[in-house]
Amino acid sequence: MMYHPLDEGWTLTLLRGDRPDAYAALDDGIPATVPGVVHTDLLAAGLMADPFPGAQEAELAWIGESDWRYRSTFSWHPTLDDAHVDLVAEGLDTVATVRINDVVVLETVNQHRSYRTDLAAVLREGENSVEIDFRSPVRYAREREEVLGERPHSYAHPFNTIRKSACNFGWDWGPDFATAGIWRPLGLQEWAHVRIAAVRPVVDIVNGIPHLTAHVDLEWQGDDEEPVTVEIEVAGASARVEARPGQPVVIDLDVPDAEPWWPRGYGEARLYDLAVRVGDGVDEATRWSRAIGFRRVEVDIAPDEQGSPFSVRINGRDVYVHGANWIPDDVFVTRITPESLAASITDATDAGLNLLRVWGGGLYESDDFYDICDREGVLVWQDFLLACAAYSEDAELWDEFEAEAREAVTRLTSHPSLVIWNGGNENIWGYVDWKWRSRLNGRTWGEGYYRDLFPRIVSELAPTTFYSDGSPFSFSSYVHPNDDSHGTMHIWDVWNTRDYDGYRAYHPRFVSEFGFQGPPAFSTLESVVRDEPRSPFGREMLAHQKANEGNDKLERGLGTHLPAPGDYADWHWTMQLNQARAVSFGIEWFRSLFPLNRGWIVWQLNDCWPVVSWAAVDSHRHRKPLWYELRRVSAPRLLTIQPVLDGDGLRVTLHNDSDEAITGRVELRREGLDGTVLASLALDLEVAARSAWTAPIDASLAVAGDPSREVLVAESSSGERGLHYFAEDTALALVDATAVDARAVADGYEVTLTAQTLVKDATLLVDLVDPAARVDSGMVTLTAGERHVFRVSGPAGIDPAAFARAGVLRSANDLVARALVR
């Protein structure tokens, strides 16, 4: 096989649309990049400025409302005798007509599929032309809604009528920049006799022995009936069969020398190269290889006395999930690279996370994403691509869903990290709870996908992964889909309508979505928001706050936890701090419920542009205060002080999510903010691996003499610490009194903080000094007399004192102190 990429010489022109005068160059065509999309080509041509700053969304809406043409020429000279030549389009976004030499060879309506078409009738030796016309995705979606019927959906556009990434039409954290273009590679593939169309390695561990069932799909040229041999080899095991046209090729193979693939924290993520050869395998069409791993996947959903669990089990071991939801890593997805994916996944692993949920409003990610998760031992929960809407089950959509699902499951089955397929996001919940039924008036809404099509495809093509009908889901037709006692749940009344102490109203078996908003790093915000004067409710600020009443909810979410901010800088820090506290508050509560609770997936890990959002890491790769709290509460061992369940008083709990048992003591101290010990008690601690220990706290410690000036400290002999405050910060006698020393060191800077009294949540906002600076720790709480060293990396030549100045060094203390003088 020979592959000829079609990635050079492209031009982009506007076919139809109301372009502004500044884009007149489009009339003659501008250079285009493949892979790419219209927006990135306009950027590269200098016609469009960076679309993220300011409030440009409405001004740029014409791009998604327009039709576009990509055109190129290429030279073709056959290299094989009597060869078959296909046009291979790995991804067209979205409604496209492809012409070769002015002949239509392909029409597409699905971003989430690849396409292959025979060019025998149109390709000629020498010069050829290729032309791809893209219809406006926005206008096409509206047109199909007229045909299919209006169905409930989130946000402005009927994204549920078109097979395109839903969030590309705008979401409550992303802009409405509906794209069009050749978003994945395009090329010609020349092959003769037979080619490998797909390999689907289904792995399992049976009676302790790794096992592979390799499904090899072959495509034969014309009426060729000559048999071929198919050979597979992996980890020292091999097998060979003879294949004939029309017969499926399925090879079963025990692989006794392979070791299991384990998720992070449970063992090594062992991978082995699987090689497939057809005949002598001399060309690319007849050989295939990739790394695979062997694991057994189970999810326990069997009813119990508390309801029904959702417990992920890998290789027979229950895995407590510390997870995050994943969205596309850039608004313009063709800018995503293997390196950028690796950096974002490192944000997850550095925080102690062991699962990423690829959310249903986004994409089936590139193999690079899943390859990294395979290597790093990060479990993947993959949604089918439906979110927050009702979907027609008419043939035109059903057939597309089936084609894209079959392709996605076939492509991704080789990845051991992918352990869960999920029917869609919030659609079943929406049907039950969001008044859809009356609006639908009997029309289909997607149930056939969740309960029939997708489970059949997963059962057929990936039988050793788990399938869930949706998220949230209770795994019963007779239980509310978002019941905390059953299966998975989403908690969104906290943030939307309720204070974050509302997390304690739930006893969830598994939380697959929850979160709280906060702004990005200050430098990230300044790169796009330039209102004069700066204001949380300025025009440009609100263009980067996509949630309904988002900044109002941020202010309401402070409750009595933190004082109202006095100025814009305080607003920024206060809202970042409250976001971090809200999420960690919820996670500590969930983990304290172990073994009832078996995991959580925070919304969300990453951002796709500079925005106020739920992300832990902003789009400029600044780790927000939330990220540091995620790292703390995702640690293998977490010591926390919580209310007694179904009673009065406090309890101390240690969740030991590690393979080592712990024996020792827990020291409890009720002390003044100045460090004076007022009461103390030591408890014997003995907790098995992957288990939890809990004990009630004596009233002499659990009740404060002066709630405004005391704190309860729990410290284990194994090094964990938990804190309980008897009053919110607005009633605590916090003072801004610390000793700070800053100095330059060989690899950056060190800032040493010494607490003269209790210091809560000390954080260095180092990007205020230099946007390239990064710091190793944040959200540090010190009791009186304790010290902490912040290690800062950044450009040389900065005055170290800049990292210790007020406004860069922040804490809850300074917010309380500033509020007292206002």
Side-chain angles (χ1 to χ4, degrees), residues 180-194:
I182 307 167
W183 78 286
R184 281 184 167 163
L186 182 77
L188 305 181
Q189 195 175 73
E190 182 184 12
W191 57 277
H193 182 38
V194 66

Side-chain angles (χ1 to χ4, degrees), residues 371-650:
D371 285 342
I372 297 165
C373 291
D374 290 344
R375 295 195 301 268
E376 297 298 324
V378 176
L379 298 169
V380 175
W381 160 325
Q382 175 69 57
D383 281 11
F384 287 104
L385 301 184
L386 307 89
C388 304
Y391 290 80
S392 165
E393 296 172 34
D394 288 57
E396 73 170 72
L397 276 183
W398 184 282
D399 292 347
E400 289 299 330
F401 273 119
E402 179 163 13
E404 76 178 58
R406 286 188 172 277
E407 179 176 334
V409 175
T410 296
R411 173 171 71 93
L412 300 179
T413 295
S414 61
H415 294 282
S417 57
L418 201 164
V419 296
I420 294 172
W421 282 97
N422 178 60
N425 180 72
E426 297 188 345
N427 303 316
I428 297 172
W429 184 19
Y431 180 75
V432 171
D433 246 9
W434 300 348
K435 301 179 181 179
W436 287 3
R437 281 176 286 182
S438 60
R439 293 174 58 187
L440 287 164
N441 195 27
R443 292 193 298 274
T444 55
W445 57 277
E447 183 179 22
Y449 302 129
Y450 319 128
R451 309 300 293 272
D452 175 19
L453 179 64
F454 295 155
R456 279 195 288 109
I457 289 173
V458 173
S459 178
E460 174 192 346
L461 301 180
T464 60
T465 54
F466 179 80
Y467 175 78
S468 168
D469 291 26
S471 181
F473 193 62
S474 292
F475 299 94
S476 170
S477 299
Y478 305 101
V479 176
H480 191 285
N482 202 38
D483 188 322
D484 66 341
S485 297
H486 298 271
T488 59
M489 80 170 304
H490 294 188
I491 302 177
W492 282 119
D493 57 347
V494 174
W495 163 250
N496 279 314
T497 61
R498 193 175 190 178
D499 191 273
Y500 66 71
D501 60 10
Y503 285 126
R504 286 181 177 159
Y506 298 102
H507 295 71
R509 310 305 299 270
F510 191 102
V511 187
S512 46
E513 267 192 33
F514 72 105
F516 209 90
Q517 268 203 356
F522 200 88
S523 62
T524 302
L525 205 54
E526 284 290 290
S527 73
V528 293
V529 173
R530 292 140 189 184
D531 295 306
E532 290 296 344
R534 300 293 193 268
S535 166
F537 296 94
R539 176 174 175 266
E540 294 191 4
M541 169 64 79
L542 293 181
H544 294 85
Q545 166 55 278
K546 309 303 291 183
N548 182 42
E549 298 181 345
N551 283 0
D552 293 297
K553 291 175 183 177
L554 284 174
E555 292 194 355
R556 291 199 301 268
L558 296 179
T560 59
H561 305 300
L562 289 167
D567 59 24
Y568 183 74
D570 278 357
W571 174 86
H572 174 267
W573 164 237
T574 301
M575 299 312 173
Q576 282 202 327
L577 174 58
N578 205 48
Q579 176 192 31
R581 287 200 183 164
V583 173
S584 62
F585 182 97
I587 293 172
E588 288 202 43
W589 174 248
F590 304 150
R591 290 190 68 176
S592 82
L593 300 175
F594 181 87
L596 181 78
N597 174 268
R598 292 290 182 164
W600 45 268
I601 309 176
V602 68
W603 187 272
Q604 65 209 65
L605 175 68
N606 56 327
D607 265 336
C608 60
W609 75 312
V611 65
V612 181
S613 82
W614 294 264
V617 183
D618 74 26
S619 64
H620 289 192
R621 302 205 177 281
H622 294 284
R623 293 171 170 179
K624 293 158 69 171
L626 169 58
W627 185 90
Y628 296 102
E629 278 293 271
L630 277 181
R631 182 173 63 177
R632 179 181 69 82
V633 296
S634 296
R637 296 189 297 266
L638 178 72
L639 187 67
T640 183
I641 299 170
Q642 298 288 339
V644 170
L645 295 174
D646 303 319
D648 297 324
L650 299 175

Side-chain angles (χ1 to χ4, degrees), residues 704-745:
D706 182 351
S708 69
R709 298 181 180 277
E710 297 178 18
V711 60
L712 179 58
V713 181
E715 289 187 320
S716 70
S717 54
S718 51
E720 293 73 45
R721 181 163 78 177
L723 299 170
H724 172 78
Y725 301 97
F726 299 100
E728 298 287 1
D729 284 8
T730 49
L732 273 181
L734 296 175
V735 295
D736 191 11
T738 55
V740 186
D741 175 70
R743 64 191 185 102
V745 294

